[in-house]
Each structure stands twice: as C-alpha cells, then as structure tokens.
C-alpha cells in the first residue's frame, strides 16, 4: 500500500475526468485540476456522487503508488457548483444536465460566462438567445437543472448514509422537491416505496434523526423488511419463530417488543397467520396463493368447452402426420391433457416435451379449438412458437398490462378468449404471476403446465410447479425416456447423469486445443480464476468463431456476481475484447457501447419489456441522453434516469437464464463459487445449451455442485392450501 508522505492539506479545483469509479463503495480515481497548484493531479479516495466538472474542496495527503507514481489521497470532500468559466464549461459539458452536451455547453458559457448557472436557474428563457436552443430545449434544460438541484440537496443530505446516485435520482423522480422533507418525516416510508432504498439505510437515517430504537414505526418496518427479504429468497411466508429471530437480529431489540408488533400487524390485517402451513404471510402473497387454489377449483368444477375428440384416433393421426411413433408416456400425456381440465407434464432435456407440445397444438387446431401458448420469458415464448409452429407470447403480454390503470387488462371479470391454455417453462412461475394468470383463464378452458421440476425454482416467491405436483391433486406425466440422441450428443445424458449423482466430468480436456468441435459438451480444466478467465476469453474470441463461424451465438452463464470470473468482471472484460465500438456512454459504473448485449433487470410495463429480457444496444445519443435497445426486433428507448434498469449481458446469471435456450453456452465453474454450487443450478446451466456446452473450471467444483442435492427449503402456503381445500 502507498504511504502518505506528509501531513494532511486541502486543495480546491475541478474534477476533470473520472478514471475509475466503484458504484458499490464509491471509490474513485480521477484527474483533478488544482487552483492552488495550477496543474492537473491524480486523486483517489471515497468520493460519493461526484461528477465531471464539479468544483471540489478536498482534504488529504500525498502518497506514492509504486506503479502510477504521486497521487493525492482524499480523506474528505466538499462539493461546490463551479464558479470559473473553465469549471462551468466542464460541468455542463459532462452531460449531467439533460439537453446540454459539450457543443451547447460551449455556446452557453461563451454567451453568459460566469453568470451561466444563475441564468439557467433564474432566467432560463434567455437560453433561447443561443442558436439552436428553442422553447422545448430551454424548458428541458430548466427542468433538468431544477431536478439536479433537488438531487444535489438529497445527495448532500444522504452522502453519509451510502445512498448512491441512482437511488437519489429515484427519490427525486418519485417525490420531486419534497424528497428531503419526506425522508426527514419518515425514512421507513421511503424504504417501503422506493426501490433501492433498503431498510438498513432508512434505519441509519432515522436513528440519526432522533427516532427511538424501540419505536413502533421502526419495529413494524423491521418486521415487514425481514418478511420482504424472505420473499427475495423465494419464501411466501415464514414460521413465526424464524420471523421473530430475523427481526430481532436486525433491530437489536427485545423479543417481547417484536412479538407485540407481530400481534398488532396481525390484528390490522397487514400480516396473515396461515395456520395450516404454519407460517406468517404478507396479505398480498396469502391472497395470491388463495387465488390460485380458488381458480383451480373453478377450472376443475366447470365443464369442458372442447369438441368431441376420439383421442386414440387423434394420437394415431398425429403420429402419422409427424412420422414419429410416440412412446407410451407421450401418448398418455396427450390423453391426459385432452381429458383433464388441469394437467402437468414434466421432464428433462431430450425427453419429448417439444414433441408433445407440437402434437397437442396440431390436434387442437385440427379440431378448430382456440388454443393459447405462453411462457414466463420472451425467449421461452419465442422457442415455444418455433417448436409448436403456433403463435406464443409472454404471460405478461397475454394478460396485457395497462400502465395507466396499474393492473392487467385480463382478469376474472375480463378473461382471455380461449378453450385451451398451454404454459411452458412452468418451473419459473412465481405465486403472484400465477395468480394473475389463473384468474384470467375462463372456467371452461383446459390448462396444461409444461416444465422441468428439476430446474431452479422461480426467481420470485413461491414454488408453484413443485407444490402443484406434490399436492397430488392433478394428473402428472413424468417423461423419463431420452429421445434426442446422436453419435456426438451427450448434453441430455450429462444432464440426467447430474440428476442421478454421477460426478464424472463430460469429455474432460486440459486445453481448448484438445476439444473435438463435433461433440456437444466439454469440460476444460482451469484450476485458477485467471486461467478460467483466459480459457473463457479464448473460447469466445478464437475457438468458437473458428469452429462454428464468426456469427455463432454464445452466452456465458456464471454462478456468482463477484470475483475474477463473476458476472460483473466477466462483462467488463468481455465487452473490451468483443466490442470494438468507439461510441460509448458511461453513467456511474455502467458503460454502454453500440452493439453491447444488455439485460433488462426489472419489469417495465410502460416499455413492454420485462425482467430477464435480452437485447442489443443499437444507438446512443448523448444530447439529450437516449439509448435505443433492440429486444427481438422491438426498439425500446431509455432516457438517462431509466438506464439503471439495464446491465451488460455478455455474461448473465444462471438464474436469469431460466426459460431461455442458447445455441452455445460457456459456464465458468470454480471452487470459489461454492456458496452457490447446487445440483439444480448446474443442471439448469447445462440444459440451457441447445447445441454446444463448454464448462470451464475445476473438476472439484463440478463434483461439489452434484453432491449438493438438497436445495434450500422454500416456505410457501400453496401446498397446504391445495391439500386442505376441496380442489
């Protein structure tokens, strides 16, 4: 570590460039033009929320870095609006104010000089004197300036609490210039209403503002936060003892106080005691699971709207049409789906789920039955449509979300028009989405759920497919016979070997040069993170393009976010080696180039894009900021405040890959990933590969994953409701 060479001093100047910024801890390295030294120096330290062009008063001392030489290590920083022409020009040219890029910044500062910022704030109409700035642009500049002022106030207020720029922007977007007042009145309300402001941050603010450690508001907020955190783990509720333990650990108060507030929340109908499941639930999740049960009961009790079908003849016709002799389990699945109002088909890769889907659709269309196909993700829906040769869509699009009303258009009072609904990748269904879906299915329709119960459960709370199967209330066909085989095919057999606990690495080699490109799965040894990164890069930049062509579609799937071969570092590294575009836009830790693969990280009903959708950046405009992303031939536009919804997707998590299938997948796998290593995680990753799978890593990590059979228990109320109701 470099050493400070003399006592602390202070410098004032302008931050000219940000060379490095870590969004998690706000550690920054930048070029700083010092007024005192009349030169540019390198500074480093924790500098929350700084922007290029800001005037900073920094305190610290000089240090010598063995590689980069003399640097100023910042201990404290105070931000000021720039006062000099140079500083104002740099500040406005950074793109911080919507509507002003470098070109307009130069024109405005040339016209108004050191009076520029006052004019923008108090006499913004004068901006129209600048050539090219009309009424709309002047209005946008003023609006953005006012927003930045509010953001700056909130940032200065929150800077000691570790609240990042993106969160401050969300606060201002939601509360406007009232943001600071609302935070001061009740920080816990903000944590509940604004994504990204968690309980722990709100709690630090509240305690510093003088809120009592044992206040009712704090304890109730802590309880609801603990329950909400459990939803992130996939639970739809928690046993009371576990909720008490988690809340007490979080709040550091006596258990009697927490127990008392649980009673209050139960009395006020904010929490629900699901006695049959032995868990406490939030009202929305209890209602969702109750709704699932009620809608299944309606489906079971209502008569079928299907025309008369002689099933054996229909199966014979389908076999003749497809020139395939069905296995007995496949014929049974078709029979079951056509004779039961609700049925489930589950099986691994290569067991014939696609053939069944195609067969059911062909029979139903021949009988002029109205059939709807849907899946949880866009890629899964696209794959479903290609397999069945029939239109398929995401569940969100099927239900038609109306942003102006804040809910789905199709529901119990306005059901979808159909006789038969088939849902693929049903292991991804969480409780809330399932409730919305089942409400919208007319009672006379049939429902078929297709999925692989051995995959990872849904990202959202619930374990719907497994709970439905375990309830034994509905007919289930388990497909086990592998049909997809050839001389070089072993993805399917490897996946089944994983489920059976076989730990031998498939086609194990020491170097990429030893790979047989005809085989569909390989394990390339790499015992260190650096070697793993090197082999992953060489596969993507050299070997895969040479074997399968330069346009081969490859997706890297990683178990964890952090580390040398974690998602974040892999994305940063692969962006550099795979995308040579010079057109780049940077906001905080996110840097985008034209041609970048990106992932949508939250549902955005206004834009009709959803969590897990993959796209490509097609254009970047910086004045004002607008990024265009192509999601499966749908152009979606993002403004500056919306970019937090995107992340690079050269590498995505295995969880995010659910419901998708890629021609080629590369999977880094090391012992450092041990926290995440589970049999179902490895199984899910390998089954995402349609044609080729390359595992890169340590054979010991592969064995560890297979040996970790028992995945974490999910507490849900659905199974108990199903088994205790008269569905």
């Amino acid at each position: 570590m470099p050493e400070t060479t003399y006592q602390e001093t202070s410098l004032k100047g302008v931050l000219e460039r940000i060379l490095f910024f870590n969004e998690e801890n706000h550690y920054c390295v930048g070029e700083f033009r010092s007024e005192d030294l009349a030169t540019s120096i390198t500074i480093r330290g924790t500098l929350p929320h700084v922007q290029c062009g800001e005037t900073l008063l920094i305190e610290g001392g000089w240090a010598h870095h063995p590689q980069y030489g003399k640097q100023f290590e910042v201990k404290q920083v105070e931000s000021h609006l720039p006062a000099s022409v140079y500083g104002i020009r740099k500040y406005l040219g950074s793109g911080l104010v919507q509507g002003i890029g470098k070109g307009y910044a130069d024109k405005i500062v040339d016209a108004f000089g050191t009076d520029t910022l006052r004019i923008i704030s108090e006499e913004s109409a004068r901006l129209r004197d600048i050539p090219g700035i009309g009424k709309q642009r002047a209005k946008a500049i003023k609006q953005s300036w006012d927003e930045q002022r509010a953001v700056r106030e909130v940032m200065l207020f929150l800077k000691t609490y570790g609240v990042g720029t993106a969160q401050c922007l969300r606060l201002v977007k939601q509360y406007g210039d009232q943001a600071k007042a609302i935070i001061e009145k009740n920080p816990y309300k903000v944590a509940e209403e604004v994504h990204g402001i968690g309980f722990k941050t709100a709690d630090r603010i509240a305690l510093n503002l003088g809120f009592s450690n044992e206040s009712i508001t704090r304890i109730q907020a802590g309880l609801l936060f603990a329950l909400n955190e459990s939803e992130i783990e996939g639970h739809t509720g928690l046993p009371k003892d576990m909720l008490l333990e988690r809340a007490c650990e979080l709040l550091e108060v006596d258990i009697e106080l927490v127990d008392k507030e649980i009673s209050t929340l139960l009395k006020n109908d904010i929490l629900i005691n699901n006695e049959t499941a032995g868990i406490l639930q939030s009202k929305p999740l209890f209602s969702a699971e109750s709704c699932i049960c009620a809608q299944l009961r309606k489906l079971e009790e209502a008569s079928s709207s299907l025309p008369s079908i002689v099933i054996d003849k229909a199966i014979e016709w389908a076999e003749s049409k497809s020139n395939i002799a069905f296995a007995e389990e496949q014929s049974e699945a078709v029979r079951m789906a056509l004779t039961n109002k609700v049925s489930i088909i589950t099986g691994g890769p290569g067991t014939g789920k696609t053939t069944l889907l195609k067969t059911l659709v062909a029979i139903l269309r021949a009988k002029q039955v109205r059939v709807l196909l849907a899946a949880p993700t866009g890629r899964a829906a696209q794959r479903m449509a290609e397999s069945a040769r029939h239109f398929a869509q995401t569940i969100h699009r099927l239900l038609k979300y109306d942003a102006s009303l804040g809910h789905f258009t199709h529901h119990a009072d306005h059901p979808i028009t159909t006789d038969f609904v088939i849902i693929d990748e049903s292991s991804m269904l969480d409780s809330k989405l399932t409730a919305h879906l089942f409400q919208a299915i007319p009672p006379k329709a049939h429902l078929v759920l297709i999925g692989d119960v051995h995959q990872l459960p849904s990202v959202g709370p619930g374990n719907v497919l497994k709970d439905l199967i375990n309830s034994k209330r509905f007919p289930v066909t388990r497909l086990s016979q592998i049909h997809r085989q050839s001389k070089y095919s072993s993805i399917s057999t490897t996946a089944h070997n994983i489920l059976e606990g076989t730990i031998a690495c498939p086609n194990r080699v020491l170097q990429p040069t030893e790979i047989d490109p005809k085989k569909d799965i390989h394990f390339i040894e790499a015992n260190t993170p650096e070697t793993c990164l090197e082999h992953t890069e060489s596969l993507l930049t050299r070997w895969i393009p040479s074997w399968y062509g330069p346009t081969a579609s490859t997706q890297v799937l990683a178990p964890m976010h952090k580390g040398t071969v974690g998602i974040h570092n892999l994305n940063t590294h692969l962006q550099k080696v795979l995308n040579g575009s010079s057109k780049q836009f940077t906001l905080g830790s996110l840097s985008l180039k034209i041609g970048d693969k990106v992932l949508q990280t939250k549902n955005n009903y206004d834009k009709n894009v959803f969590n897990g959708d993959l796209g490509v950046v097609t254009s970047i405009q910086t004045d004002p900021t607008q990024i265009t992303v192509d999601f499966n031939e749908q152009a979606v536009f993002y403004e500056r405040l919306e970019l937090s919804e995107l992340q690079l997707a050269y590498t995505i998590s295995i969880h995010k890959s659910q419901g998708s299938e890629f021609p080629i997948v590369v999977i880094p796998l090391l012992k450092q990933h041990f926290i995440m290593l589970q049999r179902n995680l490895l199984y899910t990753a390998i089954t995402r590969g349609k044609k080729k799978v390359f595992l890169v890593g340590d054979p010991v990590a592969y064995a560890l994953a297979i040996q970790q059979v028992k995945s974490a228990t999910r507490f849900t109320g659905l199974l108990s409701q199903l088994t205790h109701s008269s569905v």
Side-chain angles (χ1 to χ4, degrees), residues 51 53 96:
Q51 298 283 350
L96 182 66

Side-chain angles (χ1 to χ4, degrees), residues 214 219 223 240 244 248 253-264:
E214 298 181 353
I219 294 173
L223 274 164
K240 182 179 178 181
L244 273 169
C248 286
V253 297
D254 291 341
I255 193 169
E256 292 80 9
L257 293 172
V258 180
D259 196 11
K260 181 182 177 183
E261 293 315 315
I262 285 180
S263 299
T264 303

Side-chain angles (χ1 to χ4, degrees), residues 21 23-26 46-50 54-59 74-80 150-165 167-168 171 180 183 197 201 204-205 208:
F21 189 80
E23 192 71 40
E24 291 183 8
N25 60 16
H26 306 288
T46 302
L47 306 173
H49 328 308
V50 293
E54 282 193 81
T55 296
L56 304 177
L57 178 63
I58 56 176
E59 293 182 12
V74 179
K75 299 298 183 184
Q76 289 197 37
V77 60
E78 188 177 318
S79 175
H80 300 268
V151 169
R152 181 172 292 276
E153 282 185 13
V154 173
M155 283 181 176
L156 290 172
F157 175 61
L158 295 177
K159 68 179 180 180
T160 57
Y161 305 109
V163 180
T165 304
Q167 287 86 349
C168 286
L171 279 167
K180 183 180 176 183
I183 294 167
I197 306 291
T201 299
R204 286 199 302 273
I205 298 169
N208 275 281

Side-chain angles (χ1 to χ4, degrees), residues 283-299:
K283 190 171 183 179
L285 276 170
F286 176 81
S287 299
E289 292 180 333
S290 299
C291 174
I292 291 170
C293 289
Q295 293 306 120
L296 287 170
R297 188 183 304 115
K298 286 182 181 179
L299 285 171

Side-chain angles (χ1 to χ4, degrees), residues 485-619:
Q485 281 290 0
S486 72
K487 180 180 178 182
Y488 294 105
S489 174
S490 54
I491 292 175
S492 297
T493 51
T494 299
H496 286 273
N497 286 341
I498 288 170
L499 293 180
E500 292 168 5
T502 303
I503 62 174
C505 297
N507 300 319
R508 183 170 163 182
V509 298
L510 296 176
Q511 297 288 337
T513 52
E514 300 173 26
I515 290 172
D516 179 353
K518 292 180 182 178
K519 293 182 178 180
D520 64 357
I521 187 167
H522 284 85
F523 193 105
I524 304 104
E525 280 199 41
N527 295 322
T528 68
E530 292 74 23
T531 307
C532 185
L533 180 63
E534 180 185 331
H535 286 342
T536 300
E537 179 186 334
S538 69
L539 281 170
L540 269 71
T541 59
R542 180 181 178 187
W543 298 109
I544 289 174
S546 68
W547 293 327
Y548 313 116
T551 59
S553 179
T554 305
Q555 182 62 57
V556 181
L557 307 177
M560 291 182 69
H561 285 268
K562 296 181 179 180
T564 302
V565 284
I567 293 165
H568 178 74
N569 190 60
L570 276 168
N571 271 325
T572 302
H573 186 77
L574 293 176
Q575 182 190 44
K576 289 178 184 175
V577 299
L578 295 175
N579 189 344
S581 173
S582 59
K583 185 73 171 179
Q584 185 168 348
F585 176 82
T586 300
L587 179 66
S589 61
L590 178 67
S591 289
L592 294 177
K593 297 181 181 181
I594 291 176
D596 275 341
K597 291 171 67 174
V598 292
L599 176 79
Q600 176 74 16
T601 61
K602 62 178 289 189
N603 291 336
N604 188 320
Y605 298 101
D606 293 330
K607 296 183 183 298
N608 204 27
V609 289
F610 303 98
N611 188 1
D613 283 355
L614 290 167
V616 176
V617 176
T618 55
S619 74

Side-chain angles (χ1 to χ4, degrees), residues 243-507:
L243 179 58
L244 273 169
E245 181 183 343
R246 291 189 178 194
C248 286
E249 184 179 344
L250 174 73
L251 295 164
E252 297 180 341
V253 297
D254 291 341
I255 193 169
E256 292 80 9
L257 293 172
V258 180
D259 196 11
K260 181 182 177 183
E261 293 315 315
I262 285 180
S263 299
T264 303
L265 292 172
L266 286 168
K267 184 179 179 181
N268 293 334
D269 214 25
I270 297 170
L271 288 184
I272 305 295
N273 185 10
N274 186 332
E275 294 182 12
T276 56
I279 58 175
L280 300 179
Q281 296 184 272
S282 67
K283 190 171 183 179
L285 276 170
F286 176 81
S287 299
E289 292 180 333
S290 299
C291 174
I292 291 170
C293 289
Q295 293 306 120
L296 287 170
R297 188 183 304 115
K298 286 182 181 179
L299 285 171
E300 286 288 284
E301 291 174 352
S303 59
S304 171
S305 60
L306 295 189
S308 176
I309 300 175
V310 181
I311 294 174
D312 288 339
K313 286 187 177 180
I315 292 173
E316 287 177 15
W317 171 81
E319 286 180 317
S320 172
K321 193 174 188 311
S322 60
N323 200 26
I324 295 174
F326 297 156
E328 179 55 37
E329 60 185 17
Q330 290 178 303
S331 298
E332 183 57 33
V334 173
R335 186 176 291 106
M336 182 185 67
L338 295 175
T339 55
N340 291 277
K341 294 292 299 304
V342 179
S343 58
I344 299 168
I345 300 169
T346 183
T351 55
K353 297 193 299 294
T354 298
T355 300
L356 273 174
L357 173 64
K358 193 183 301 181
T359 300
L360 275 172
V361 171
I363 291 171
L364 293 168
R365 290 181 67 179
K367 285 290 186 177
Q368 297 183 330
V369 172
R370 298 170 298 180
V371 58
L372 286 175
L373 310 183
T377 68
R379 283 185 172 267
Q382 183 181 356
R383 189 156 45 87
M384 195 181 189
E386 291 167 356
S387 300
R389 295 172 188 172
H390 184 79
F391 177 71
Q393 59 195 312
T394 64
I395 294 170
H396 289 90
R397 292 187 176 100
L398 172 68
L399 299 179
K400 295 181 180 175
Y401 188 83
D402 188 326
S404 63
L405 298 175
H407 58 70
F408 290 110
T409 299
H410 288 296
H411 43 72
D413 296 328
H414 183 215
I416 51 182
T417 303
T418 187
D419 302 306
F420 209 103
V421 177
I422 304 176
I423 304 297
D424 200 7
E425 297 290 351
S426 296
S427 63
M428 296 181 67
L429 289 173
D430 62 57
S431 297
K432 291 178 181 178
L433 182 59
T434 304
H436 288 298
L437 171 65
F438 285 9
Q439 277 190 87
I441 298 174
K444 290 192 173 185
H446 284 235
L447 170 65
V448 175
L449 301 174
I450 302 175
D452 186 347
V453 77
H454 296 296
Q455 285 186 31
L456 291 166
S458 60
V459 175
N463 211 355
V464 174
L465 183 63
K466 187 172 281 189
D467 283 348
L468 292 178
I469 291 172
N470 289 342
S471 73
K472 299 180 181 179
R473 291 280 186 170
F474 313 101
V476 178
T477 300
R478 290 178 170 86
L479 304 175
S480 56
Q481 185 176 337
I482 299 175
H483 301 279
R484 192 195 305 163
Q485 281 290 0
S486 72
K487 180 180 178 182
Y488 294 105
S489 174
S490 54
I491 292 175
S492 297
T493 51
T494 299
H496 286 273
N497 286 341
I498 288 170
L499 293 180
E500 292 168 5
T502 303
I503 62 174
C505 297
N507 300 319

